[in-house]
Amino acid sequence: MTEDVVNWEEDLEEDAVIANAIKTLNIQKQHNFSEVRPSTERVDSVALPCGHQMPADYVVAWFKYYLKQKKTEFSCPGFNDVQMKTCGTKLSYQEICRLIPLTDKQREFLEENLAALVAKRLFDFKACPGCQYHVERRDRSNLCVNCIICTANMKRPYFFCWNCRREWKGPANNAVRCDNNGCGQKARTSDPLKPCKPEMKREMLREKGEDIYPMKDKSPDRKRLALLINNVEFKHINDRTGADKDELSMEMLLKGLGYTVVTLRDLTAQGMLAAMRDFARREEHDQSDSCFVVLMSHGDASGICGVFDSLSSDDEEDILPTDEIFNSLNTPNCAGLRDKPKIILIQACRGDKEGSVDVPDSVPRHRRAKEHREKDFCCLRSCTPDTVSYRNPEKGSHFIQDIVEIFNEHACQDDIDELFRKVLKKFKETHPDQMPCRDRTTLSKRFYLFPGL
């Protein structure tokens, strides 16, 4: 059975009816995209109907991000210079297929996830806890659902609870709960991020107020953004197995800290640059107090690898110089984050020196006093110059996992400099073959995250 796609037992008449309905949701057959040839070649850029020219991989990554948000339409992330806001022009999957010759793998991923989202809107279905086949709930007022596959296999009527997904207990018609323990109650999951106590924040502000970057209190008006770029699958070099663990851990941490996380996967250097520049011009920054930018990829001394990079010196390089990250977010190019902390985390190699058995990751203001072009940055890189960063295929990278652990435990009381010092200390004690280092840090005040406040 394919993940996120419904499978049905063909020899069961009732299931076959539902299977036929699901098949009609197959986007390729429904909209007859077979005339669009899949591509295995690199397509550098595409002109969108709104007029924005963008790297093709950047458009695909944004569409995947929208699917992750349970949305079936893509909105252009480019900046509208006339309206002075993000473009937001809607594009459907059909339009993207006409603009970009997708690879077979991209097409399969997008169509399966689109079909699953559409099916979820039309049908009410879940996986049966007995056989794991998806079952449709015909009566939405009843939590007691019959699985005909388990009924046939067990040679007795089999019902399960739509709410807790355990075999049914109690009266066979109930819209609230079954008789299983805990049904109808939300499971409590422990948040690993320790919240800051209000009294601690007040004390810090009283003692060090002038030395602390102003932070907005938690409210609907605060619009914090974080950009997470995770390159996992590469065309010419090894994929970054285990990087999905880092992505999930970092997303959870940043969301816990109050940031809306834009996660984009598998970008070329041009795609990463476009993402950085569009992120820098997001209007939400005007209502924010800080931002995070996290980049995870292969890398070398010259920068961060895009997904088309090759180890061969004869091939065209697909490298994003780290200068471009700072240039995109500096004083003249990112007015919304002027005088606000910008935290950059980079998980990537900076050379080829080995030392472990894990897998290596080879708006203008009127009349303003002069300000430095590059300030209020704090960057932590996963390793020192010319050395490699290590990533465990099962658990993710030492760098990202240790940052998440330290932030969860100590962000409630420590500023960013102290948090980074603790990360370095842990590496010295537990990962002697690798040492993260600060890079181009220009914070002039203390930056406290005050989680939960």
Side-chain angles (χ1 to χ4, degrees), residues 223-240:
K223 308 289 184 184
R224 287 178 173 173
L225 281 183
L227 175 64
L228 196 164
I229 296 175
N230 187 18
N231 289 342
V232 181
E233 298 181 355
F234 293 77
K235 304 299 179 184
H236 306 297
I237 52 181
N238 292 334
D239 293 343
R240 298 181 56 251

Side-chain angles (χ1 to χ4, degrees), residues 116-354:
L117 286 175
V118 175
K120 198 166 185 179
R121 293 177 183 178
L122 298 179
F123 302 110
D124 195 18
F125 61 86
K126 283 185 180 180
C128 167
C131 63
Q132 299 306 312
Y133 277 87
H134 280 73
V135 177
E136 182 189 14
R137 179 170 66 152
R138 304 288 179 82
D139 181 3
R140 300 199 176 205
S141 65
N142 189 10
L143 292 174
C144 182
V145 180
N146 173 235
C147 175
I148 57 177
I149 297 177
C150 287
T151 295
N153 290 340
M154 298 179 182
K155 300 185 181 337
R156 65 173 177 83
Y158 180 87
F159 297 87
F160 70 92
C161 176
W162 200 254
N163 192 25
C164 67
R165 289 188 65 247
R166 287 177 284 178
E167 186 169 1
W168 185 265
K169 288 183 179 180
N173 197 320
N174 197 315
V176 181
R177 53 161 295 171
C178 68
D179 286 350
N180 282 305
N181 289 334
C183 183
Q185 300 174 3
K186 289 187 177 180
R188 294 184 178 179
T189 57
S190 57
D191 187 350
L193 180 64
K194 289 185 177 180
C196 177
K197 297 179 180 179
E199 54 270 25
M200 181 177 290
K201 180 180 179 180
R202 286 194 296 268
E203 183 178 345
M204 288 180 184
L205 293 175
R206 185 172 58 252
E207 293 179 357
K208 312 171 185 176
E210 293 184 359
D211 258 348
I212 297 177
Y213 280 99
M215 301 297 288
K216 295 178 179 289
D217 291 330
K218 187 177 181 179
S219 75
D221 294 330
R222 188 181 71 182
K223 308 289 184 184
R224 287 178 173 173
L225 281 183
L227 175 64
L228 196 164
I229 296 175
N230 187 18
N231 289 342
V232 181
E233 298 181 355
F234 293 77
K235 304 299 179 184
H236 306 297
I237 52 181
N238 292 334
D239 293 343
R240 298 181 56 251
T241 309
D244 55 329
K245 305 291 193 305
D246 288 344
E247 182 179 308
L248 291 172
S249 297
M250 186 54 66
E251 282 182 333
M252 183 179 293
L253 172 64
L254 293 173
K255 289 175 182 177
L257 292 171
Y259 294 86
T260 298
V261 186
V262 176
T263 302
L264 302 177
R265 270 204 182 196
D266 299 335
L267 295 176
T268 61
Q270 288 302 311
M272 289 189 280
L273 181 57
M276 288 300 311
R277 289 176 174 174
D278 285 340
F279 179 77
R281 303 189 75 180
R282 292 281 292 262
E283 56 269 27
E284 291 95 331
H285 293 318
D286 291 332
Q287 297 172 274
S288 179
D289 50 26
S290 57
C291 83
F292 271 78
V293 173
V294 184
L295 296 101
M296 303 185 286
S297 184
H298 288 301
D300 61 21
S302 60
I304 300 164
C305 293
V307 293
F308 270 92
D309 195 45
S310 172
L311 294 176
S312 171
S313 58
D314 297 331
D315 294 327
E316 181 184 352
E317 283 191 340
D318 187 25
I319 298 284
L320 177 73
T322 52
D323 279 352
E324 295 291 357
I325 302 168
F326 291 88
N327 291 341
S328 297
L329 297 173
N330 66 15
T331 302
N333 292 327
C334 187
L337 288 173
R338 193 174 291 158
D339 300 324
K340 301 172 184 178
K342 296 164 278 288
I343 310 304
I344 300 170
L345 306 173
I346 303 175
Q347 161 63 29
C349 292
R350 301 177 70 181
D352 57 3
K353 294 181 180 178
E354 300 180 359

Side-chain angles (χ1 to χ4, degrees), residues 7-20 23 131 133-135 138 146-153:
N7 224 344
W8 307 93
E9 191 77 1
E10 293 181 356
D11 60 343
L12 294 172
E13 182 179 353
E14 192 171 3
D15 273 12
V17 174
I18 302 173
N20 287 333
K23 286 177 183 177
C131 63
Y133 277 87
H134 280 73
V135 177
R138 304 288 179 82
N146 173 235
C147 175
I148 57 177
I149 297 177
C150 287
T151 295
N153 290 340

